[in-house]
Amino acid sequence: MQINSLTLVGFRNYREQTLAFDPACNVIHGENAQGKTNLLEAIVYLSCGKSPRTRSDRELITFDGQQARITGKIFSRDREFVTDITLQAGRRRKMTVNGVAAKNAAELSDVLHTVFFCPEDLFLIREGAAARRKFMDQSLCRRRFLDTAICQLRPRYAQALAEYHRLYEHKTRILRDREDNPGLLAMLPDFNERMCRVGAILIYYRARYCRALEGYAAPAHEDCSGGREKLTLGYETVKTVLDPFAKTEDIAQNLREHQESHYHAELASGLCLSGPHKDDFIVEVNGRSARQFCSQGQVRTAALSLKLADREIHRSAVGEYPVMLLDDVLSELDPKRQEYVLNRISGGQVFITCCENDRLDRLQAGRLFHIQNGEVLL
Ligand code: ATP
Ligand code: MG
Protein backbone atom coordinates (compact mmCIF):
# COMPACT_ATOMS: atom_id res chain seq x y z
CA MET A 1 0.00 0.00 0.00
CA GLN A 2 1.09 3.55 -0.53
CA ILE A 3 -0.01 7.09 0.02
CA ASN A 4 0.07 9.04 -3.22
CA SER A 5 -0.75 12.47 -1.89
CA LEU A 6 -1.59 14.24 1.32
CA THR A 7 -3.40 17.52 1.89
CA LEU A 8 -3.21 19.24 5.27
CA VAL A 9 -5.35 22.26 6.11
CA GLY A 10 -5.04 23.84 9.54
CA PHE A 11 -3.21 20.80 10.89
CA ARG A 12 -0.56 21.74 13.53
CA ASN A 13 1.74 24.27 11.82
CA TYR A 14 0.44 23.48 8.30
CA ARG A 15 -1.84 26.21 6.96
CA GLU A 16 -2.61 24.58 3.65
CA GLN A 17 -0.29 22.20 1.90
CA THR A 18 -0.58 19.40 -0.65
CA LEU A 19 2.27 16.96 -1.17
CA ALA A 20 2.59 14.24 -3.82
CA PHE A 21 4.77 11.34 -2.75
CA ASP A 22 7.16 8.91 -4.33
CA PRO A 23 5.95 5.30 -4.28
CA ALA A 24 9.25 4.18 -2.74
CA CYS A 25 11.35 6.63 -0.75
CA ASN A 26 10.42 10.08 0.59
CA VAL A 27 12.90 12.10 2.59
CA ILE A 28 11.60 15.05 4.58
CA HIS A 29 14.29 17.37 5.80
CA GLY A 30 14.43 20.73 7.47
CA GLU A 31 15.55 22.52 10.60
CA ASN A 32 14.14 21.76 14.02
CA ALA A 33 10.50 22.66 14.68
CA GLN A 34 9.52 23.09 11.01
CA GLY A 35 6.86 20.37 10.79
CA LYS A 36 8.64 17.12 9.85
CA THR A 37 7.21 15.03 12.67
CA ASN A 38 3.83 16.78 12.26
CA LEU A 39 3.70 15.45 8.71
CA LEU A 40 4.33 11.85 9.79
CA GLU A 41 1.83 12.31 12.61
CA ALA A 42 -0.85 13.24 10.05
CA ILE A 43 -0.10 10.06 8.07
CA VAL A 44 -0.34 7.93 11.23
CA TYR A 45 -3.67 9.59 12.02
CA LEU A 46 -4.96 8.70 8.55
CA SER A 47 -4.12 5.06 9.23
CA CYS A 48 -5.66 4.62 12.67
CA GLY A 49 -7.54 7.75 13.78
CA LYS A 50 -5.05 8.34 16.57
CA SER A 51 -1.99 10.50 16.99
CA PRO A 52 1.13 8.78 18.28
CA ARG A 53 1.95 11.96 20.25
CA THR A 54 -1.25 13.10 21.89
CA ARG A 55 -4.66 11.86 22.93
CA SER A 56 -6.21 15.25 22.43
CA ASP A 57 -7.36 15.99 18.89
CA ARG A 58 -7.57 19.67 19.86
CA GLU A 59 -3.78 19.82 19.91
CA LEU A 60 -3.73 18.84 16.24
CA ILE A 61 -5.72 21.89 15.18
CA THR A 62 -3.65 24.99 14.37
CA PHE A 63 -3.27 27.21 17.44
CA ASP A 64 -5.57 29.98 16.23
CA GLY A 65 -7.92 27.77 14.22
CA GLN A 66 -11.14 25.82 14.80
CA GLN A 67 -10.73 23.03 12.30
CA ALA A 68 -8.08 20.74 10.84
CA ARG A 69 -8.42 18.59 7.77
CA ILE A 70 -6.28 15.66 6.64
CA THR A 71 -6.93 14.15 3.21
CA GLY A 72 -4.96 11.24 1.83
CA LYS A 73 -5.10 9.59 -1.57
CA ILE A 74 -4.12 6.02 -0.94
CA PHE A 75 -3.47 3.03 -3.14
CA SER A 76 -4.09 -0.30 -1.46
CA ARG A 77 -5.64 -3.66 -2.29
CA ASP A 78 -5.26 -2.72 -6.00
CA ARG A 79 -7.63 0.21 -5.61
CA GLU A 80 -7.59 3.90 -4.94
CA PHE A 81 -9.08 5.31 -1.79
CA VAL A 82 -9.54 8.81 -0.47
CA THR A 83 -9.56 9.04 3.30
CA ASP A 84 -10.70 12.36 4.64
CA ILE A 85 -10.70 13.46 8.28
CA THR A 86 -12.01 16.72 9.69
CA LEU A 87 -11.27 17.62 13.31
CA GLN A 88 -13.39 20.35 14.81
CA ALA A 89 -12.85 22.09 18.13
CA GLY A 90 -15.55 21.07 20.58
CA ARG A 91 -17.31 18.79 18.07
CA ARG A 92 -17.14 15.21 16.90
CA ARG A 93 -14.62 14.51 14.20
CA LYS A 94 -15.78 13.46 10.74
CA MET A 95 -14.08 10.62 8.91
CA THR A 96 -14.91 9.35 5.44
CA VAL A 97 -13.45 6.75 3.10
CA ASN A 98 -14.35 7.39 -0.56
CA GLY A 99 -17.06 9.76 0.60
CA VAL A 100 -18.75 7.21 2.88
CA ALA A 101 -18.73 7.95 6.61
CA ALA A 102 -16.35 5.70 8.54
CA LYS A 103 -17.96 4.39 11.72
CA ASN A 104 -14.71 3.78 13.54
CA ALA A 105 -10.97 3.93 13.22
CA ALA A 106 -10.76 0.28 12.16
CA GLU A 107 -12.24 1.29 8.83
CA LEU A 108 -9.27 3.61 8.31
CA SER A 109 -6.82 0.78 9.07
CA ASP A 110 -8.49 -1.38 6.44
CA VAL A 111 -7.29 1.13 3.86
CA LEU A 112 -3.93 2.32 5.16
CA HIS A 113 -1.56 0.75 7.58
CA THR A 114 1.60 2.35 8.95
CA VAL A 115 4.61 1.29 10.99
CA PHE A 116 6.01 4.30 12.80
CA PHE A 117 9.50 4.58 14.25
CA CYS A 118 10.16 7.51 16.60
CA PRO A 119 13.03 8.28 18.96
CA GLU A 120 11.05 6.90 21.94
CA ASP A 121 11.24 3.49 20.31
CA LEU A 122 14.88 3.36 21.35
CA PHE A 123 13.45 2.34 24.72
CA LEU A 124 12.51 -0.96 23.11
CA ILE A 125 16.20 -1.69 23.44
CA ARG A 126 17.74 0.46 26.14
CA GLU A 127 16.55 1.76 29.44
CA GLY A 128 15.77 5.46 29.67
CA ALA A 129 17.40 7.51 32.42
CA ALA A 130 13.96 8.78 33.45
CA ALA A 131 12.73 5.22 33.78
CA ARG A 132 15.71 4.27 35.93
CA ARG A 133 15.20 7.24 38.23
CA LYS A 134 11.49 6.68 38.63
CA PHE A 135 11.78 2.88 38.75
CA MET A 136 9.33 2.70 35.90
CA ASP A 137 8.60 -0.67 34.40
CA GLN A 138 10.69 -0.51 31.26
CA SER A 139 9.32 -3.77 29.95
CA LEU A 140 5.96 -2.03 29.51
CA CYS A 141 7.24 -0.37 26.37
CA ARG A 142 8.24 -3.74 24.88
CA ARG A 143 4.98 -5.39 25.93
CA ARG A 144 3.01 -2.60 24.31
CA PHE A 145 4.98 -3.08 21.12
CA LEU A 146 4.14 -6.80 21.10
CA ASP A 147 0.51 -6.25 22.03
CA THR A 148 -0.12 -3.54 19.45
CA ALA A 149 1.49 -5.56 16.69
CA ILE A 150 -0.27 -8.83 17.48
CA CYS A 151 -3.66 -7.18 18.06
CA GLN A 152 -3.53 -5.80 14.53
CA LEU A 153 -2.90 -9.24 13.09
CA ARG A 154 -4.96 -11.54 15.31
CA PRO A 155 -8.46 -10.61 16.49
CA ARG A 156 -8.44 -13.58 18.88
CA TYR A 157 -5.41 -12.15 20.60
CA ALA A 158 -7.00 -8.71 20.89
CA GLN A 159 -10.03 -10.29 22.55
CA ALA A 160 -7.93 -12.34 24.93
CA LEU A 161 -5.81 -9.33 25.84
CA ALA A 162 -8.85 -7.19 26.63
CA GLU A 163 -10.27 -9.98 28.79
CA TYR A 164 -6.95 -10.49 30.56
CA HIS A 165 -6.77 -6.77 31.41
CA ARG A 166 -10.28 -6.90 32.87
CA LEU A 167 -9.50 -10.00 34.93
CA TYR A 168 -6.25 -8.49 36.14
CA GLU A 169 -7.98 -5.34 37.36
CA HIS A 170 -10.72 -7.29 39.10
CA LYS A 171 -8.24 -9.59 40.77
CA THR A 172 -6.12 -6.66 41.91
CA ARG A 173 -9.22 -5.13 43.52
CA ILE A 174 -10.05 -8.40 45.26
CA LEU A 175 -6.54 -8.67 46.66
CA ARG A 176 -6.53 -5.03 47.72
CA ASP A 177 -9.98 -4.91 49.34
CA ARG A 178 -10.17 -8.37 50.88
CA GLU A 179 -9.23 -7.19 54.39
CA ASP A 180 -12.25 -4.86 54.51
CA ASN A 181 -14.41 -7.35 52.68
CA PRO A 182 -13.24 -10.97 53.31
CA GLY A 183 -16.16 -12.38 51.30
CA LEU A 184 -14.36 -11.26 48.14
CA LEU A 185 -11.80 -14.07 48.53
CA ALA A 186 -14.41 -16.65 47.53
CA MET A 187 -14.23 -15.22 43.99
CA LEU A 188 -10.48 -15.57 43.70
CA PRO A 189 -10.25 -19.20 42.43
CA ASP A 190 -12.53 -18.45 39.47
CA PHE A 191 -10.47 -15.42 38.53
CA ASN A 192 -7.24 -17.36 38.84
CA GLU A 193 -8.52 -20.16 36.63
CA ARG A 194 -9.77 -17.79 33.95
CA MET A 195 -6.50 -15.82 34.01
CA CYS A 196 -4.54 -19.04 33.46
CA ARG A 197 -6.64 -19.95 30.44
CA VAL A 198 -6.63 -16.52 28.87
CA GLY A 199 -2.99 -15.96 29.84
CA ALA A 200 -2.06 -19.15 27.96
CA ILE A 201 -3.54 -17.68 24.76
CA LEU A 202 -1.41 -14.55 25.18
CA ILE A 203 1.74 -16.61 25.67
CA TYR A 204 0.94 -18.81 22.68
CA TYR A 205 0.73 -15.82 20.33
CA ARG A 206 3.55 -13.81 21.87
CA ALA A 207 6.02 -16.68 21.56
CA ARG A 208 5.23 -17.09 17.88
CA TYR A 209 5.35 -13.36 17.22
CA CYS A 210 8.76 -13.05 18.94
CA ARG A 211 10.12 -15.92 16.88
CA ALA A 212 8.96 -14.23 13.68
CA LEU A 213 10.33 -10.90 14.93
CA GLU A 214 13.78 -12.38 15.42
CA GLY A 215 13.57 -14.13 12.06
CA TYR A 216 13.18 -10.81 10.25
CA ALA A 217 15.05 -8.43 12.59
CA ALA A 218 18.28 -10.46 12.60
CA PRO A 219 18.98 -10.19 8.84
CA ALA A 220 17.96 -6.49 8.82
CA HIS A 221 20.36 -5.75 11.67
CA GLU A 222 23.13 -7.77 10.06
CA ASP A 223 22.68 -5.97 6.75
CA CYS A 224 22.55 -2.51 8.31
CA SER A 225 25.71 -3.17 10.34
CA GLY A 226 27.63 -4.36 7.29
CA GLY A 227 27.58 -7.99 8.48
CA ARG A 228 29.34 -7.15 11.73
CA GLU A 229 26.52 -7.66 14.21
CA LYS A 230 24.24 -10.53 15.01
CA LEU A 231 20.96 -9.75 16.74
CA THR A 232 19.08 -12.35 18.76
CA LEU A 233 15.79 -11.96 20.57
CA GLY A 234 14.39 -14.10 23.35
CA TYR A 235 10.85 -14.13 24.70
CA GLU A 236 10.58 -14.18 28.50
CA THR A 237 7.44 -15.26 30.27
CA VAL A 238 6.27 -16.95 33.49
CA LYS A 239 9.06 -19.20 34.81
CA THR A 240 7.06 -22.42 34.92
CA VAL A 241 6.26 -22.18 31.20
CA LEU A 242 9.17 -24.16 29.85
CA ASP A 243 7.80 -24.44 26.32
CA PRO A 244 5.78 -21.41 25.20
CA PHE A 245 5.17 -23.18 21.87
CA ALA A 246 3.23 -25.97 23.61
CA LYS A 247 -0.55 -26.31 23.31
CA THR A 248 -2.52 -23.69 25.21
CA GLU A 249 -3.92 -26.36 27.59
CA ASP A 250 -0.37 -27.29 28.59
CA ILE A 251 0.63 -23.65 29.03
CA ALA A 252 -2.47 -23.06 31.16
CA GLN A 253 -1.42 -25.99 33.37
CA ASN A 254 2.05 -24.44 33.79
CA LEU A 255 0.39 -21.17 34.75
CA ARG A 256 -1.76 -22.91 37.38
CA GLU A 257 1.38 -24.32 39.00
CA HIS A 258 2.95 -20.88 39.16
CA GLN A 259 -0.29 -19.39 40.41
CA GLU A 260 -0.55 -21.91 43.24
CA SER A 261 3.02 -21.40 44.38
CA HIS A 262 2.41 -17.64 44.56
CA TYR A 263 -0.97 -17.78 46.28
CA HIS A 264 0.26 -16.73 49.72
CA ALA A 265 2.66 -14.14 48.37
CA GLU A 266 -0.19 -12.52 46.42
CA LEU A 267 -2.37 -12.37 49.51
CA ALA A 268 0.46 -10.96 51.60
CA SER A 269 1.46 -8.30 49.08
CA GLY A 270 -2.03 -7.52 47.74
CA LEU A 271 -0.54 -7.66 44.24
CA CYS A 272 -1.06 -9.85 41.21
CA LEU A 273 2.28 -11.66 41.02
CA SER A 274 1.55 -14.52 38.69
CA GLY A 275 0.70 -14.36 35.00
CA PRO A 276 2.00 -13.06 31.68
CA HIS A 277 1.40 -9.38 32.51
CA LYS A 278 5.13 -9.12 33.19
CA ASP A 279 6.27 -10.72 29.94
CA ASP A 280 9.22 -9.21 28.18
CA PHE A 281 11.67 -9.85 25.39
CA ILE A 282 15.40 -9.55 25.58
CA VAL A 283 17.51 -8.35 22.67
CA GLU A 284 21.16 -9.29 22.40
CA VAL A 285 23.75 -8.12 19.92
CA ASN A 286 26.71 -10.42 19.33
CA GLY A 287 25.65 -12.45 22.35
CA ARG A 288 25.56 -9.56 24.83
CA SER A 289 22.59 -7.75 26.30
CA ALA A 290 21.76 -4.82 24.05
CA ARG A 291 20.28 -2.96 27.02
CA GLN A 292 23.57 -3.03 28.89
CA PHE A 293 26.26 -3.01 26.25
CA CYS A 294 25.04 -1.48 22.99
CA SER A 295 26.34 1.87 21.74
CA GLN A 296 23.86 4.56 20.64
CA GLY A 297 24.21 3.62 16.98
CA GLN A 298 23.76 -0.06 17.78
CA VAL A 299 20.65 0.66 19.87
CA ARG A 300 19.19 2.64 16.97
CA THR A 301 20.04 -0.11 14.50
CA ALA A 302 18.40 -2.74 16.71
CA ALA A 303 15.24 -0.67 17.29
CA LEU A 304 14.98 0.03 13.57
CA SER A 305 15.45 -3.68 12.82
CA LEU A 306 12.52 -4.55 15.11
CA LYS A 307 10.31 -2.08 13.26
CA LEU A 308 11.45 -3.43 9.89
CA ALA A 309 10.61 -6.90 11.16
CA ASP A 310 7.17 -5.70 12.23
CA ARG A 311 6.69 -4.42 8.68
CA GLU A 312 7.71 -7.77 7.16
CA ILE A 313 5.40 -9.74 9.47
CA HIS A 314 2.57 -7.47 8.49
CA ARG A 315 3.32 -8.02 4.83
CA SER A 316 3.36 -11.77 5.16
CA ALA A 317 -0.01 -11.67 6.92
CA VAL A 318 -1.78 -9.11 4.75
CA GLY A 319 0.05 -9.44 1.44
CA GLU A 320 1.10 -5.79 1.20
CA TYR A 321 3.77 -3.71 2.86
CA PRO A 322 2.45 -1.13 5.32
CA VAL A 323 3.78 2.41 4.88
CA MET A 324 6.96 2.83 6.93
CA LEU A 325 7.48 6.15 8.75
CA LEU A 326 10.94 6.75 10.17
CA ASP A 327 11.19 9.85 12.31
CA ASP A 328 14.71 11.06 12.95
CA VAL A 329 16.27 7.66 12.46
CA LEU A 330 19.51 8.78 10.80
CA SER A 331 21.15 10.68 13.64
CA GLU A 332 23.82 8.69 15.49
CA LEU A 333 24.17 6.31 12.56
CA ASP A 334 27.48 6.18 10.71
CA PRO A 335 27.55 6.82 6.94
CA LYS A 336 27.23 3.14 6.02
CA ARG A 337 24.20 2.61 8.23
CA GLN A 338 22.64 5.82 6.93
CA GLU A 339 23.17 4.57 3.42
CA TYR A 340 21.33 1.38 4.34
CA VAL A 341 18.33 3.32 5.66
CA LEU A 342 18.20 5.69 2.69
CA ASN A 343 18.70 3.19 -0.10
CA ARG A 344 18.32 -0.37 0.98
CA ILE A 345 14.99 -0.71 2.74
CA SER A 346 13.47 -2.50 -0.17
CA GLY A 347 9.81 -2.93 -1.05
CA GLY A 348 7.03 -0.73 0.18
CA GLN A 349 6.85 3.01 0.69
CA VAL A 350 9.13 4.68 3.21
CA PHE A 351 9.18 8.18 4.74
CA ILE A 352 12.34 9.38 6.45
CA THR A 353 12.73 12.66 8.34
CA CYS A 354 16.07 14.22 9.12
CA CYS A 355 17.62 17.54 10.00
CA GLU A 356 20.85 18.03 8.12
CA ASN A 357 20.99 17.99 4.35
CA ASP A 358 24.60 16.90 3.97
CA ARG A 359 23.87 13.22 4.39
CA LEU A 360 21.21 13.37 1.73
CA ASP A 361 23.74 13.17 -1.09
CA ARG A 362 23.75 9.49 -0.23
CA LEU A 363 20.15 9.16 -1.39
CA GLN A 364 20.14 7.35 -4.73
CA ALA A 365 16.45 7.52 -5.63
CA GLY A 366 13.20 8.91 -4.31
CA ARG A 367 11.85 12.35 -3.54
CA LEU A 368 13.19 15.07 -1.25
CA PHE A 369 10.98 17.54 0.60
CA HIS A 370 12.47 20.57 2.31
CA ILE A 371 10.06 21.73 5.01
CA GLN A 372 10.15 25.21 6.49
CA ASN A 373 7.54 26.49 8.88
CA GLY A 374 4.84 24.10 7.71
CA GLU A 375 5.49 24.66 4.02
CA VAL A 376 7.37 22.69 1.41
CA LEU A 377 10.08 24.75 -0.27
CA LEU A 378 10.41 23.93 -3.94
P1 ATP B 1 12.55 18.40 15.10
O1 ATP B 1 13.63 18.35 14.06
O2 ATP B 1 12.98 19.24 16.25
O3 ATP B 1 12.01 17.09 15.49
P2 ATP B 1 10.13 18.89 13.53
O4 ATP B 1 10.33 19.50 12.20
O5 ATP B 1 9.85 17.45 13.58
O6 ATP B 1 11.37 19.28 14.45
P3 ATP B 1 7.47 19.24 14.58
O7 ATP B 1 7.44 18.37 15.75
O8 ATP B 1 6.84 18.72 13.35
O9 ATP B 1 8.96 19.69 14.26
O10 ATP B 1 6.80 20.60 15.05
C1 ATP B 1 6.91 21.78 14.34
C2 ATP B 1 6.26 22.95 15.04
O11 ATP B 1 4.84 22.75 15.09
C3 ATP B 1 6.67 23.22 16.49
O12 ATP B 1 7.37 24.42 16.56
C4 ATP B 1 5.35 23.35 17.24
O13 ATP B 1 5.32 24.46 18.11
C5 ATP B 1 4.37 23.56 16.13
N1 ATP B 1 3.01 23.13 16.51
C6 ATP B 1 2.66 22.05 17.25
N2 ATP B 1 1.33 22.00 17.41
C7 ATP B 1 0.84 23.06 16.76
C8 ATP B 1 -0.47 23.58 16.57
N3 ATP B 1 -1.55 22.96 17.08
N4 ATP B 1 -0.61 24.71 15.85
C9 ATP B 1 0.46 25.33 15.32
N5 ATP B 1 1.72 24.90 15.47
C10 ATP B 1 1.91 23.80 16.18
MG1 MG C 1 10.57 15.93 14.84
Side-chain angles (χ1 to χ4, degrees):
M1 53 184 65
Q2 71 194 47
I3 169 156
N4 289 328
S5 75
L6 177 72
T7 300
L8 299 176
V9 181
F11 180 88
R12 295 259 194 209
N13 67 336
Y14 286 85
R15 215 176 286 278
E16 183 165 358
Q17 184 72 58
T18 296
L19 300 102
F21 298 121
D22 187 84
C25 186
N26 296 276
V27 175
I28 293 136
H29 67 99
E31 293 176 355
N32 293 133
Q34 300 307 308
K36 302 181 298 294
T37 305
N38 292 348
L39 185 69
L40 300 191
E41 183 183 31
I43 298 176
V44 175
Y45 202 101
L46 271 186
S47 72
C48 64
K50 261 197 308 207
S51 156
R53 296 209 276 192
T54 174
R55 283 167 181 230
S56 151
D57 284 351
R58 184 69 186 89
E59 281 178 35
L60 305 178
I61 302 172
T62 298
F63 292 143
D64 50 3
Q66 291 300 308
Q67 180 171 306
R69 190 157 176 202
I70 314 169
T71 312
K73 291 194 179 149
I74 295 154
F75 190 76
S76 90
R77 293 187 269 134
D78 294 324
R79 284 194 285 156
E80 286 195 346
F81 293 90
V82 177
T83 298
D84 188 54
I85 299 172
T86 306
L87 307 173
Q88 290 164 296
R91 284 209 251 148
R92 269 179 78 106
R93 65 183 176 184
K94 288 188 197 143
M95 307 192 290
T96 63
V97 175
N98 288 348
V100 179
K103 283 191 289 297
N104 51 38
E107 291 188 23
L108 305 184
S109 315
D110 284 344
V111 173
L112 177 67
H113 202 96
T114 53
V115 171
F116 180 50
F117 171 97
C118 63
E120 287 85 75
D121 289 318
L122 300 176
F123 298 135
L124 287 171
I125 307 296
R126 70 156 183 241
E127 235 170 295
R132 274 199 301 271
R133 270 199 308 276
K134 293 181 192 157
F135 303 104
M136 259 161 53
D137 180 4
Q138 195 67 34
S139 64
L140 186 65
C141 171
R142 287 183 286 273
R143 250 186 335 270
R144 280 209 187 119
F145 172 71
L146 289 185
D147 287 342
T148 312
I150 311 172
C151 280
Q152 282 167 357
L153 298 169
R154 305 276 176 225
R156 184 168 175 236
Y157 182 85
Q159 260 172 12
L161 185 67
E163 183 175 356
Y164 191 87
H165 284 320
R166 279 197 301 276
L167 292 164
Y168 175 86
E169 278 178 21
H170 260 107
K171 179 173 165 183
T172 305
R173 254 178 278 146
I174 294 174
L175 291 170
R176 196 191 53 203
D177 299 342
R178 70 180 180 98
E179 287 194 347
D180 298 334
N181 189 354
L184 285 175
L185 267 187
M187 289 157 63
L188 200 54
D190 283 350
F191 274 94
N192 281 342
E193 174 57 22
R194 192 71 204 142
M195 278 176 88
C196 290
R197 289 191 196 197
V198 180
I201 299 174
L202 301 187
I203 292 172
Y204 176 93
Y205 282 109
R206 284 175 181 172
R208 280 162 180 75
Y209 185 80
C210 283
R211 183 168 62 185
L213 204 57
E214 184 187 54
Y216 288 114
H221 191 108
E222 190 170 342
D223 226 6
C224 184
S225 63
R228 277 184 291 180
E229 292 167 14
K230 193 166 165 46
L231 177 148
T232 48
L233 184 147
Y235 171 51
E236 295 203 326
T237 184
V238 178
K239 265 208 303 275
T240 51
V241 180
L242 298 179
D243 179 13
F245 292 97
K247 287 187 289 197
T248 49
E249 300 91 84
D250 298 337
I251 300 173
Q253 185 52 32
N254 298 151
L255 292 179
R256 276 181 211 109
E257 287 156 23
H258 192 266
Q259 180 68 257
E260 279 156 25
S261 67
H262 285 71
Y263 181 76
H264 294 292
E266 287 192 330
L267 289 184
S269 64
L271 298 170
C272 238
L273 302 175
S274 179
H277 47 273
K278 292 200 176 161
D279 282 4
D280 201 353
F281 62 81
I282 303 297
V283 175
E284 291 186 343
V285 172
N286 291 341
R288 291 190 199 284
S289 157
R291 194 181 315 171
Q292 288 165 284
F293 299 110
C294 269
S295 73
Q296 283 158 300
Q298 284 178 309
V299 165
R300 213 164 258 268
T301 308
L304 171 67
S305 301
L306 293 187
K307 292 281 170 160
L308 289 171
D310 186 19
R311 184 182 84 121
E312 292 291 346
I313 292 168
H314 191 275
R315 185 185 77 135
S316 63
V318 176
E320 281 187 272
Y321 274 116
V323 172
M324 181 99 203
L325 307 169
L326 301 173
D327 193 21
D328 196 16
V329 74
L330 297 178
S331 51
E332 294 172 343
L333 293 185
D334 63 34
K336 285 188 190 136
R337 293 185 198 223
Q338 285 180 4
E339 198 273 329
Y340 171 86
V341 175
L342 288 168
N343 301 317
R344 287 194 289 125
I345 298 179
S346 57
Q349 192 180 31
V350 185
F351 290 77
I352 300 165
T353 71
C354 61
C355 278
E356 296 101 298
N357 330 353
D358 56 353
R359 52 175 65 114
L360 296 178
D361 50 14
R362 296 193 188 100
L363 182 71
Q364 286 160 6
R367 200 168 294 176
L368 278 177
F369 298 87
H370 185 190
I371 304 273
Q372 194 176 75
N373 198 14
E375 283 181 35
V376 179
L377 299 186
L378 295 173

